[in-house]
Amino acid sequence: MTDYIAQLIVRYPVLSVCEKNIRGVYMILESCYANGGKLLVAGNGGSCADADHICAELLKSFVKKRPLEQSFLNALANIDSDACTYIGDALQGGLPAISLGNHTALITAMLNDVDENAIYAQQVNALGAQGDVFLGISTSGNAPNVAYAAIVAKAKGLKTVALSGKTGGKLATFADEAIVVPENETYKIQELHVPVYHALCLQLEQRFF
């Protein structure tokens, strides 16, 4: 099997200080998916876009084909054989992942009725279950809405992981495993986050498909 994390370190030697943590996050995610859990991801600004990006790589094919299980194809055929032909060709296997920055009606309702710092915590409270994983992305590690979501996740029995920079901030202290890339400027931190989560998604895709 390809070790995408090892390849990552070869391409980005600066991340060698994070290798143990990257592998730790992978093991948490692998266990989550092996046991039927899901991933909840949250961040702000560019980190919100990264949350979307991660979910996109997990929900559909990334670099490998992800054929549907025959039992599912049989179930489709029993419902509608014509639809099965189309759906069977169009659909791909996926790993359940939810980007919490996409729920516009809820987000605006929380902004209007409650508090902006509870937006992600509310979603973790409603969607999270024991066995799931919450991934918080914050370049400083100190985004209050992401940190509060991590606290709620831990209280509900979710595993919590962080993707950050600088010192890791408060978010890293709440995480079961934190990847703190060795940069201090926001854009430089984000530039290292992308190859890190690509490697994680590649490793997960290889494991499950």
Side-chain angles (χ1 to χ4, degrees):
M1 292 178 68
T2 303
D3 188 339
Y4 288 105
I5 296 171
Q7 289 187 359
L8 169 72
I9 302 305
V10 170
R11 291 168 52 229
Y12 296 89
V14 69
L15 291 171
S16 61
V17 296
C18 304
E19 182 175 1
K20 181 180 178 181
N21 306 102
I22 295 169
R23 292 189 183 278
V25 168
Y26 170 75
M27 294 304 297
I28 289 172
L29 294 172
E30 181 191 43
S31 177
C32 167
Y33 284 128
N35 290 289
K38 63 183 178 293
L39 176 65
L40 306 177
V41 195
N44 299 306
S47 296
C48 183
D50 284 330
D52 284 355
H53 191 165
I54 291 167
C55 292
E57 308 297 20
L58 294 173
L59 288 166
K60 62 172 289 296
S61 173
F62 187 5
V63 299
K64 294 174 67 70
K65 290 185 177 181
R66 301 184 184 182
L68 301 178
E69 293 184 2
Q70 188 59 50
S71 60
F72 181 52
L73 291 172
N74 293 340
L76 290 171
N78 289 336
I79 297 168
D80 188 309
S81 58
D82 292 334
C84 175
T85 300
Y86 169 75
I87 294 172
D89 289 337
L91 293 190
Q92 304 163 347
L95 296 170
I98 303 172
S99 177
L100 302 183
N102 285 330
H103 302 147
T104 308
L106 173 65
I107 289 169
T108 53
M110 290 292 293
L111 286 169
N112 190 58
D113 302 335
V114 190
D115 185 275
E116 68 273 13
N117 286 327
I119 287 171
Y120 291 144
Q122 176 62 41
Q123 293 183 68
V124 172
N125 185 51
L127 296 170
Q130 192 166 10
D132 293 343
V133 174
F134 171 73
L135 168 56
I137 310 174
S138 170
T139 56
S140 68
N142 291 317
N145 58 350
V146 179
Y148 288 140
I151 293 169
V152 171
K154 288 185 75 69
K156 289 183 68 72
L158 282 73
K159 289 289 188 180
T160 58
V161 296
L163 188 55
S164 187
K166 300 182 180 179
T167 66
K170 289 184 178 179
L171 184 61
T173 68
F174 300 134
D176 294 298
E177 190 69 76
I179 301 169
V180 181
V181 301
E183 285 291 355
N184 291 301
E185 293 187 71
T186 297
Y187 76 93
K188 292 181 180 179
I189 295 168
Q190 291 171 332
E191 286 173 353
L192 290 178
H193 281 180
V194 176
V196 167
Y197 65 68
H198 271 166
L200 290 169
C201 291
L202 287 165
Q203 205 72 52
L204 288 166
E205 181 176 65
Q206 178 172 247
R207 162 68 175 81
F208 290 100
F209 301 98

